[in-house]
Amino acid sequence: MNLANYFTLLRLVISPIFLLVYLEPDWFGLNSQWLPYALLALLGISELSDFFDGFFARKFNQVTELGKILDPMADSISHISMFLAFTQDPIRLPIWTVFIFMYRDFVVSTLRTACALRGYTLAARISGKIKAGVQASAILIITLLLIPAASGEITQSTLQLFATVIVALAAIYTLYSGFDYVFANRFYIYRLLKQPKKASDS
């Protein structure tokens, strides 16, 4: 554990808090007008922790194997938790959009882990970092849309339409980043699939 990894863990802690605040704002004494600002604060802390964990890891040479595992996991859990929250009122995202994010991360994580166990390190792709930025931007825009929705400036149906379009675009890029990752590492994946299974493997 080091400072960079503690920032990553902070992101993991904020994820369920964001979910709870959105789903049960009354527990925190928030009405519909104040809810978007609370969510924006949590999102800001989460994304700043993502920035600082990378900054300190590079600046103080604190890149660790644990950090390489925790960082993408924290990104995935954080963003998927927020999108899952948005499947409920008032935003009501279609659940299939969230499953796209989940399936992509599951496939990439499984391939990365399986190859690592065989001694192959799958290279990270810039499309993966862009994917995280695209998802964070989608969450930010949707959260901002809650402000005019709470004051009645836009209807709930308009909020739902805009949110669905924004997340659908993010889902398209998420799919692209998954295909890009698999294609870029196809040689190692092919070696993994062709390698004989050891007797001790289960």
Side-chain angles (χ1 to χ4, degrees):
M1 289 299 296
N2 54 42
L3 184 59
N5 289 338
Y6 281 120
F7 276 110
T8 302
L9 289 177
L10 175 61
R11 213 146 77 252
L12 291 172
V13 171
I14 289 175
S15 301
I17 297 176
F18 185 100
L19 190 67
L20 283 174
V21 169
Y22 180 85
L23 295 177
E24 302 292 345
D26 292 343
W27 292 3
F28 302 90
L30 297 169
N31 58 29
S32 59
Q33 280 73 34
W34 284 105
L35 175 61
Y37 299 102
L39 296 176
L40 286 171
L42 291 170
L43 176 61
I45 295 171
S46 178
E47 295 305 315
L48 281 174
S49 70
D50 187 20
F51 168 79
F52 282 119
D53 72 7
F55 173 79
F56 284 113
R58 291 186 298 269
K59 185 175 180 63
F60 299 107
N61 194 26
Q62 294 183 346
V63 177
T64 63
E65 293 303 315
L66 177 62
K68 291 178 183 178
I69 296 172
L70 283 179
D71 186 54
M73 182 180 74
D75 278 342
S76 178
I77 292 175
S78 174
H79 292 159
I80 289 175
S81 295
M82 295 174 184
F83 285 126
L84 277 175
F86 291 159
T87 61
Q88 303 303 304
D89 284 330
I91 295 172
R92 296 181 61 186
L93 286 178
I95 192 66
W96 62 262
T97 57
V98 182
F99 277 113
I100 289 177
F101 302 133
M102 294 174 65
Y103 289 154
R104 183 270 181 197
D105 287 352
F106 174 78
V107 169
V108 169
S109 297
T110 301
L111 287 174
R112 183 185 293 120
T113 302
C115 288
L117 291 174
R118 297 288 187 172
Y120 312 139
T121 301
L122 299 188
R125 300 289 295 170
I126 188 63
S127 61
K129 284 295 183 184
I130 296 175
K131 180 265 302 181
V134 168
Q135 291 182 0
S137 298
I139 294 167
L140 173 62
I141 294 171
I142 293 171
T143 306
L144 288 172
L145 285 172
L146 285 172
I147 298 175
S151 61
E153 295 177 33
I154 62 174
T155 65
Q156 184 176 358
S157 60
T158 301
L159 170 66
Q160 293 169 358
L161 175 61
F162 284 172
T164 300
V165 171
I166 291 166
V167 174
L169 293 174
I172 291 171
Y173 188 85
T174 295
L175 281 175
Y176 163 75
S177 71
F179 286 122
D180 178 59
Y181 185 88
V182 171
F183 182 78
N185 293 288
R186 62 193 182 281
F187 174 72
Y188 295 104
I189 296 171
Y190 176 78
R191 288 178 62 184
L192 172 68
L193 295 175
K194 297 296 291 185
Q195 187 171 353
K197 188 177 182 182
K198 297 179 182 178
S200 60
D201 290 347
S202 58

